[in-house]
Amino acid sequence: MFSSTMFASILPEILILVLGMLVLIVEPFWKEEKRRNVGWLTAGGLAAAMLISMLIGQPGDPTSVLGGMIRFDWLGFFFKMLIMFAGAATALLMMDHEKVGARGEAYLLLLASLIGMNLMAVSTDLVMLFLAIETASIPLYVLSGFMLGDDKSTEAGFKYLLFGILTTTFMLYGLSLVFGFSGTTNIAELAERFNVGAVSPVAAFAVLALILVGIGFKVAFVPFHFWSPDVYEGAPTPVAGFLSTASKAAGYAVLVRLFFVAFPDPSLSRPWTLALAILAAVTMTVGNLLALPQTNIKRLLAYSSIAHTGYTLIGVVAFSQLGAASVVFYLAAYILTNLLAFGVAMAFSKVTGLEDIREYAGMSRRSPWLGLMMLAAFLSLTGMPPFGGFVAKVVVFTAGIQAGYTWLVILGVVNSVIGAYYYLNTLKFVYLYRMPAEDEENHPIPLTRPYAIALVALTVGVILIGTLFAPWFNWSEAGALNLF
């Protein structure tokens, strides 16, 4: 029976679906030069959907709905709001992209992917989880290769598709083995089957490894990171930003819910937490070391994203309420920060057509406000106060120390120092270097209204989450409570 609770649990998805239908209906009637306004419709519609969901769609006590397919709780709700916010910011950044901004189907694909990501955040059944992952992934394959006349974009879409299919095959095989061993696809029931010894620890760990291949591809941890630099470089810049934030958040929502709920027994949790700790160590180190020689801003942000995946994994490895809360909080800060970094890169590239870091020389004089926004983004990625990245790293590292992974936290601090080099090296060009002719005043970088709104909102968010962090962390803790 369709109840008010069931309606509230899927309200954001219903609103996104209605918005998608509205885009389909309205976009063909707009003239060619007006079609970029679909971005206003998409961003405004997502903002309205978030507001409506927060007013009338907040969860109460954790509840399973739709036959146990999804879980209506604060953890899923918070992830949904983060993902939808990333979608709204991406829609604004897409508006002035030369080859994407006036294409209504790009916004429609974005909305379709958002529905899949939202369902990933709340799925408690393996069948629903797989369908949600594919719903989120297929539109992103298309968006990555959306610029048909651009060889790099075509290559990015093709690589993303091939690697996505390969890793999905491994994950689906793992999910089928879970059902074969346990006789159920419900994640909560899996814990009971594992606890009573219906599945041996060795078999459980092997299945877990197969599932990790698929999730590892979504969040881009080593060794499943190889696609991200090429895809980020070739894809439209706002799509690359969306891939590095919303897609990663959805992947972590799956990782946290699946591993914390399905494998709570210490005999099962110890092996996989140790395995994830090793993956976290390798991921943050490889990401930072490979970022050092990069000269393309998008490739640098791609390897930076891989390194931040390693930091976030520390919260998962902690396997505690604080660990889960730190993951949610870290992702909130990371989404704001990385979207800001990609947004600044896109604003610069739109005017200059360049992505080489050395071409950023004199940018602070060409556009002081854009320079300050880049400063906020890169200092937050470095983990310096008073920006969100600092508090996020403190919380994640605290969770790791409390769980006894001091060695991993020390490695994380060392890697943060390594990361500071290439972040500050980029800012060196922005603030200390000049253009060859030293005539920056003759080469301004104007910001269009969509860029200005998106970048200002993201900058304010990065500062607020680093200074007034208590409410954000309280929401993260409320979500983590639902796992224990």
mmCIF file of all heavy atoms in Angstrom, residues 124-157:
data_model
loop_
_atom_site.group_PDB
_atom_site.id
_atom_site.type_symbol
_atom_site.label_atom_id
_atom_site.label_comp_id
_atom_site.label_asym_id
_atom_site.label_seq_id
_atom_site.Cartn_x
_atom_site.Cartn_y
_atom_site.Cartn_z
ATOM 1 N N THR A 124 18.971 -0.781 -0.278
ATOM 2 C CA THR A 124 19.284 -1.821 0.713
ATOM 3 C C THR A 124 19.033 -3.211 0.142
ATOM 4 O O THR A 124 18.971 -4.185 0.881
ATOM 5 C CB THR A 124 18.442 -1.637 1.995
ATOM 6 O OG1 THR A 124 17.062 -1.542 1.642
ATOM 7 C CG2 THR A 124 18.869 -0.395 2.743
ATOM 8 N N ASP A 125 18.897 -3.284 -1.167
ATOM 9 C CA ASP A 125 18.725 -4.560 -1.851
ATOM 10 C C ASP A 125 19.709 -4.588 -3.011
ATOM 11 O O ASP A 125 19.889 -3.589 -3.717
ATOM 12 C CB ASP A 125 17.295 -4.723 -2.355
ATOM 13 C CG ASP A 125 17.039 -6.105 -2.927
ATOM 14 O OD1 ASP A 125 17.312 -6.304 -4.131
ATOM 15 O OD2 ASP A 125 16.590 -6.989 -2.164
ATOM 16 N N LEU A 126 20.352 -5.719 -3.210
ATOM 17 C CA LEU A 126 21.407 -5.802 -4.219
ATOM 18 C C LEU A 126 20.880 -5.586 -5.630
ATOM 19 O O LEU A 126 21.582 -5.032 -6.486
ATOM 20 C CB LEU A 126 22.101 -7.163 -4.121
ATOM 21 C CG LEU A 126 22.804 -7.457 -2.797
ATOM 22 C CD1 LEU A 126 23.477 -8.821 -2.837
ATOM 23 C CD2 LEU A 126 23.833 -6.381 -2.470
ATOM 24 N N VAL A 127 19.647 -6.012 -5.887
ATOM 25 C CA VAL A 127 19.055 -5.813 -7.213
ATOM 26 C C VAL A 127 18.829 -4.320 -7.459
ATOM 27 O O VAL A 127 19.196 -3.777 -8.510
ATOM 28 C CB VAL A 127 17.737 -6.597 -7.356
ATOM 29 C CG1 VAL A 127 17.073 -6.295 -8.705
ATOM 30 C CG2 VAL A 127 17.979 -8.095 -7.209
ATOM 31 N N MET A 128 18.223 -3.652 -6.474
ATOM 32 C CA MET A 128 18.001 -2.210 -6.587
ATOM 33 C C MET A 128 19.331 -1.467 -6.694
ATOM 34 O O MET A 128 19.467 -0.498 -7.457
ATOM 35 C CB MET A 128 17.209 -1.709 -5.381
ATOM 36 C CG MET A 128 17.065 -0.185 -5.312
ATOM 37 S SD MET A 128 16.205 0.520 -6.728
ATOM 38 C CE MET A 128 14.502 0.171 -6.277
ATOM 39 N N LEU A 129 20.325 -1.917 -5.950
ATOM 40 C CA LEU A 129 21.639 -1.281 -5.977
ATOM 41 C C LEU A 129 22.247 -1.352 -7.370
ATOM 42 O O LEU A 129 22.755 -0.343 -7.893
ATOM 43 C CB LEU A 129 22.562 -1.962 -4.957
ATOM 44 C CG LEU A 129 24.014 -1.493 -4.924
ATOM 45 C CD1 LEU A 129 24.092 -0.009 -4.601
ATOM 46 C CD2 LEU A 129 24.813 -2.307 -3.922
ATOM 47 N N PHE A 130 22.183 -2.513 -7.985
ATOM 48 C CA PHE A 130 22.761 -2.658 -9.320
ATOM 49 C C PHE A 130 22.017 -1.793 -10.342
ATOM 50 O O PHE A 130 22.649 -1.130 -11.177
ATOM 51 C CB PHE A 130 22.723 -4.125 -9.751
ATOM 52 C CG PHE A 130 23.289 -4.352 -11.123
ATOM 53 C CD1 PHE A 130 24.656 -4.289 -11.328
ATOM 54 C CD2 PHE A 130 22.458 -4.609 -12.201
ATOM 55 C CE1 PHE A 130 25.189 -4.479 -12.599
ATOM 56 C CE2 PHE A 130 22.983 -4.805 -13.467
ATOM 57 C CZ PHE A 130 24.353 -4.743 -13.675
ATOM 58 N N LEU A 131 20.701 -1.784 -10.280
ATOM 59 C CA LEU A 131 19.918 -0.953 -11.197
ATOM 60 C C LEU A 131 20.233 0.534 -10.997
ATOM 61 O O LEU A 131 20.327 1.298 -11.963
ATOM 62 C CB LEU A 131 18.422 -1.207 -10.998
ATOM 63 C CG LEU A 131 17.904 -2.592 -11.403
ATOM 64 C CD1 LEU A 131 16.443 -2.747 -11.013
ATOM 65 C CD2 LEU A 131 18.071 -2.806 -12.898
ATOM 66 N N ALA A 132 20.403 0.948 -9.739
ATOM 67 C CA ALA A 132 20.714 2.347 -9.444
ATOM 68 C C ALA A 132 22.086 2.722 -9.995
ATOM 69 O O ALA A 132 22.255 3.801 -10.579
ATOM 70 C CB ALA A 132 20.664 2.585 -7.933
ATOM 71 N N ILE A 133 23.060 1.833 -9.825
ATOM 72 C CA ILE A 133 24.414 2.113 -10.329
ATOM 73 C C ILE A 133 24.409 2.269 -11.846
ATOM 74 O O ILE A 133 25.025 3.189 -12.406
ATOM 75 C CB ILE A 133 25.388 1.006 -9.894
ATOM 76 C CG1 ILE A 133 25.626 1.072 -8.385
ATOM 77 C CG2 ILE A 133 26.717 1.119 -10.639
ATOM 78 C CD1 ILE A 133 26.451 -0.075 -7.829
ATOM 79 N N GLU A 134 23.683 1.400 -12.521
ATOM 80 C CA GLU A 134 23.631 1.490 -13.982
ATOM 81 C C GLU A 134 22.856 2.726 -14.439
ATOM 82 O O GLU A 134 23.221 3.371 -15.430
ATOM 83 C CB GLU A 134 22.987 0.224 -14.559
ATOM 84 C CG GLU A 134 23.855 -1.010 -14.423
ATOM 85 C CD GLU A 134 25.240 -0.804 -15.016
ATOM 86 O OE1 GLU A 134 25.350 -0.701 -16.244
ATOM 87 O OE2 GLU A 134 26.217 -0.712 -14.242
ATOM 88 N N THR A 135 21.797 3.083 -13.711
ATOM 89 C CA THR A 135 21.046 4.299 -14.040
ATOM 90 C C THR A 135 21.910 5.534 -13.897
ATOM 91 O O THR A 135 21.806 6.489 -14.673
ATOM 92 C CB THR A 135 19.800 4.425 -13.134
ATOM 93 O OG1 THR A 135 18.988 3.254 -13.267
ATOM 94 C CG2 THR A 135 18.970 5.647 -13.517
ATOM 95 N N ALA A 136 22.782 5.525 -12.903
ATOM 96 C CA ALA A 136 23.694 6.658 -12.703
ATOM 97 C C ALA A 136 24.817 6.670 -13.724
ATOM 98 O O ALA A 136 25.259 7.744 -14.165
ATOM 99 C CB ALA A 136 24.276 6.608 -11.286
ATOM 100 N N SER A 137 25.300 5.494 -14.128
ATOM 101 C CA SER A 137 26.508 5.401 -14.950
ATOM 102 C C SER A 137 26.264 5.655 -16.431
ATOM 103 O O SER A 137 27.043 6.356 -17.086
ATOM 104 C CB SER A 137 27.151 4.019 -14.769
ATOM 105 O OG SER A 137 27.524 3.808 -13.430
ATOM 106 N N ILE A 138 25.204 5.078 -16.985
ATOM 107 C CA ILE A 138 24.999 5.151 -18.443
ATOM 108 C C ILE A 138 24.914 6.596 -18.945
ATOM 109 O O ILE A 138 25.550 6.943 -19.943
ATOM 110 C CB ILE A 138 23.764 4.324 -18.849
ATOM 111 C CG1 ILE A 138 24.052 2.833 -18.620
ATOM 112 C CG2 ILE A 138 23.393 4.568 -20.310
ATOM 113 C CD1 ILE A 138 22.853 1.921 -18.807
ATOM 114 N N PRO A 139 24.141 7.497 -18.291
ATOM 115 C CA PRO A 139 24.150 8.895 -18.760
ATOM 116 C C PRO A 139 25.531 9.546 -18.671
ATOM 117 O O PRO A 139 25.874 10.384 -19.513
ATOM 118 C CB PRO A 139 23.163 9.591 -17.805
ATOM 119 C CG PRO A 139 22.277 8.509 -17.297
ATOM 120 C CD PRO A 139 23.167 7.317 -17.193
ATOM 121 N N LEU A 140 26.339 9.145 -17.697
ATOM 122 C CA LEU A 140 27.668 9.727 -17.556
ATOM 123 C C LEU A 140 28.600 9.266 -18.666
ATOM 124 O O LEU A 140 29.492 10.018 -19.082
ATOM 125 C CB LEU A 140 28.258 9.381 -16.187
ATOM 126 C CG LEU A 140 27.555 10.005 -14.986
ATOM 127 C CD1 LEU A 140 28.212 9.561 -13.681
ATOM 128 C CD2 LEU A 140 27.573 11.528 -15.076
ATOM 129 N N TYR A 141 28.432 8.027 -19.159
ATOM 130 C CA TYR A 141 29.206 7.582 -20.316
ATOM 131 C C TYR A 141 28.944 8.495 -21.511
ATOM 132 O O TYR A 141 29.865 8.881 -22.234
ATOM 133 C CB TYR A 141 28.834 6.142 -20.701
ATOM 134 C CG TYR A 141 29.067 5.098 -19.639
ATOM 135 C CD1 TYR A 141 28.272 3.954 -19.582
ATOM 136 C CD2 TYR A 141 30.078 5.231 -18.696
ATOM 137 C CE1 TYR A 141 28.478 2.974 -18.620
ATOM 138 C CE2 TYR A 141 30.287 4.264 -17.725
ATOM 139 C CZ TYR A 141 29.483 3.136 -17.682
ATOM 140 O OH TYR A 141 29.679 2.175 -16.727
ATOM 141 N N VAL A 142 27.671 8.827 -21.707
ATOM 142 C CA VAL A 142 27.293 9.678 -22.840
ATOM 143 C C VAL A 142 27.822 11.102 -22.642
ATOM 144 O O VAL A 142 28.369 11.706 -23.570
ATOM 145 C CB VAL A 142 25.760 9.691 -23.019
ATOM 146 C CG1 VAL A 142 25.359 10.569 -24.207
ATOM 147 C CG2 VAL A 142 25.229 8.280 -23.212
ATOM 148 N N LEU A 143 27.656 11.645 -21.427
ATOM 149 C CA LEU A 143 28.097 13.016 -21.166
ATOM 150 C C LEU A 143 29.618 13.166 -21.306
ATOM 151 O O LEU A 143 30.107 14.209 -21.753
ATOM 152 C CB LEU A 143 27.667 13.444 -19.760
ATOM 153 C CG LEU A 143 26.200 13.842 -19.592
ATOM 154 C CD1 LEU A 143 25.873 14.055 -18.114
ATOM 155 C CD2 LEU A 143 25.887 15.105 -20.378
ATOM 156 N N SER A 144 30.362 12.132 -20.939
ATOM 157 C CA SER A 144 31.830 12.210 -21.043
ATOM 158 C C SER A 144 32.276 12.348 -22.485
ATOM 159 O O SER A 144 33.260 13.032 -22.784
ATOM 160 C CB SER A 144 32.478 10.973 -20.409
ATOM 161 O OG SER A 144 32.192 10.910 -19.032
ATOM 162 N N GLY A 145 31.581 11.697 -23.405
ATOM 163 C CA GLY A 145 31.931 11.781 -24.819
ATOM 164 C C GLY A 145 30.977 12.663 -25.599
ATOM 165 O O GLY A 145 30.760 12.447 -26.792
ATOM 166 N N PHE A 146 30.424 13.667 -24.933
ATOM 167 C CA PHE A 146 29.343 14.468 -25.523
ATOM 168 C C PHE A 146 29.810 15.339 -26.677
ATOM 169 O O PHE A 146 29.050 15.626 -27.604
ATOM 170 C CB PHE A 146 28.719 15.357 -24.438
ATOM 171 C CG PHE A 146 27.325 15.792 -24.751
ATOM 172 C CD1 PHE A 146 26.261 14.919 -24.620
ATOM 173 C CD2 PHE A 146 27.070 17.080 -25.184
ATOM 174 C CE1 PHE A 146 24.968 15.317 -24.908
ATOM 175 C CE2 PHE A 146 25.789 17.494 -25.468
ATOM 176 C CZ PHE A 146 24.730 16.606 -25.334
ATOM 177 N N MET A 147 31.077 15.789 -26.657
ATOM 178 C CA MET A 147 31.591 16.674 -27.715
ATOM 179 C C MET A 147 32.108 15.816 -28.878
ATOM 180 O O MET A 147 33.279 15.439 -28.930
ATOM 181 C CB MET A 147 32.683 17.577 -27.155
ATOM 182 C CG MET A 147 32.214 18.469 -26.017
ATOM 183 S SD MET A 147 33.467 19.628 -25.430
ATOM 184 C CE MET A 147 34.672 18.522 -24.702
ATOM 185 N N LEU A 148 31.221 15.507 -29.802
ATOM 186 C CA LEU A 148 31.530 14.538 -30.855
ATOM 187 C C LEU A 148 32.666 14.995 -31.760
ATOM 188 O O LEU A 148 33.395 14.180 -32.316
ATOM 189 C CB LEU A 148 30.276 14.267 -31.692
ATOM 190 C CG LEU A 148 29.123 13.570 -30.954
ATOM 191 C CD1 LEU A 148 27.928 13.398 -31.875
ATOM 192 C CD2 LEU A 148 29.567 12.217 -30.415
ATOM 193 N N GLY A 149 32.823 16.288 -31.945
ATOM 194 C CA GLY A 149 33.893 16.773 -32.806
ATOM 195 C C GLY A 149 35.242 16.864 -32.123
ATOM 196 O O GLY A 149 36.232 17.235 -32.753
ATOM 197 N N ASP A 150 35.293 16.507 -30.868
ATOM 198 C CA ASP A 150 36.527 16.602 -30.091
ATOM 199 C C ASP A 150 37.069 15.189 -29.857
ATOM 200 O O ASP A 150 36.416 14.350 -29.233
ATOM 201 C CB ASP A 150 36.239 17.292 -28.752
ATOM 202 C CG ASP A 150 37.505 17.601 -27.971
ATOM 203 O OD1 ASP A 150 38.282 16.664 -27.720
ATOM 204 O OD2 ASP A 150 37.694 18.768 -27.590
ATOM 205 N N ASP A 151 38.273 14.930 -30.368
ATOM 206 C CA ASP A 151 38.842 13.580 -30.257
ATOM 207 C C ASP A 151 39.060 13.169 -28.803
ATOM 208 O O ASP A 151 38.849 12.012 -28.439
ATOM 209 C CB ASP A 151 40.171 13.509 -31.013
ATOM 210 C CG ASP A 151 39.982 13.580 -32.517
ATOM 211 O OD1 ASP A 151 38.848 13.339 -32.971
ATOM 212 O OD2 ASP A 151 40.961 13.893 -33.229
ATOM 213 N N LYS A 152 39.492 14.116 -27.972
ATOM 214 C CA LYS A 152 39.730 13.792 -26.562
ATOM 215 C C LYS A 152 38.440 13.428 -25.852
ATOM 216 O O LYS A 152 38.412 12.531 -25.010
ATOM 217 C CB LYS A 152 40.411 14.967 -25.857
ATOM 218 C CG LYS A 152 41.891 15.097 -26.154
ATOM 219 C CD LYS A 152 42.540 16.143 -25.263
ATOM 220 C CE LYS A 152 44.038 16.190 -25.469
ATOM 221 N NZ LYS A 152 44.690 17.190 -24.596
ATOM 222 N N SER A 153 37.356 14.133 -26.181
ATOM 223 C CA SER A 153 36.070 13.839 -25.560
ATOM 224 C C SER A 153 35.553 12.473 -25.996
ATOM 225 O O SER A 153 35.042 11.693 -25.184
ATOM 226 C CB SER A 153 35.052 14.925 -25.908
ATOM 227 O OG SER A 153 33.804 14.656 -25.321
ATOM 228 N N THR A 154 35.696 12.182 -27.283
ATOM 229 C CA THR A 154 35.273 10.866 -27.788
ATOM 230 C C THR A 154 36.064 9.752 -27.121
ATOM 231 O O THR A 154 35.510 8.717 -26.724
ATOM 232 C CB THR A 154 35.472 10.806 -29.309
ATOM 233 O OG1 THR A 154 34.759 11.886 -29.917
ATOM 234 C CG2 THR A 154 34.953 9.492 -29.869
ATOM 235 N N GLU A 155 37.379 9.971 -26.995
ATOM 236 C CA GLU A 155 38.234 8.990 -26.318
ATOM 237 C C GLU A 155 37.829 8.823 -24.859
ATOM 238 O O GLU A 155 37.783 7.701 -24.331
ATOM 239 C CB GLU A 155 39.696 9.430 -26.406
ATOM 240 C CG GLU A 155 40.665 8.487 -25.721
ATOM 241 C CD GLU A 155 42.074 9.040 -25.666
ATOM 242 O OE1 GLU A 155 42.337 10.080 -26.291
ATOM 243 O OE2 GLU A 155 42.918 8.436 -24.969
ATOM 244 N N ALA A 156 37.513 9.948 -24.195
ATOM 245 C CA ALA A 156 37.112 9.900 -22.785
ATOM 246 C C ALA A 156 35.840 9.078 -22.612
ATOM 247 O O ALA A 156 35.755 8.215 -21.726
ATOM 248 C CB ALA A 156 36.900 11.316 -22.253
ATOM 249 N N GLY A 157 34.833 9.346 -23.453
ATOM 250 C CA GLY A 157 33.583 8.601 -23.354
ATOM 251 C C GLY A 157 33.778 7.120 -23.615
ATOM 252 O O GLY A 157 33.191 6.272 -22.926
#
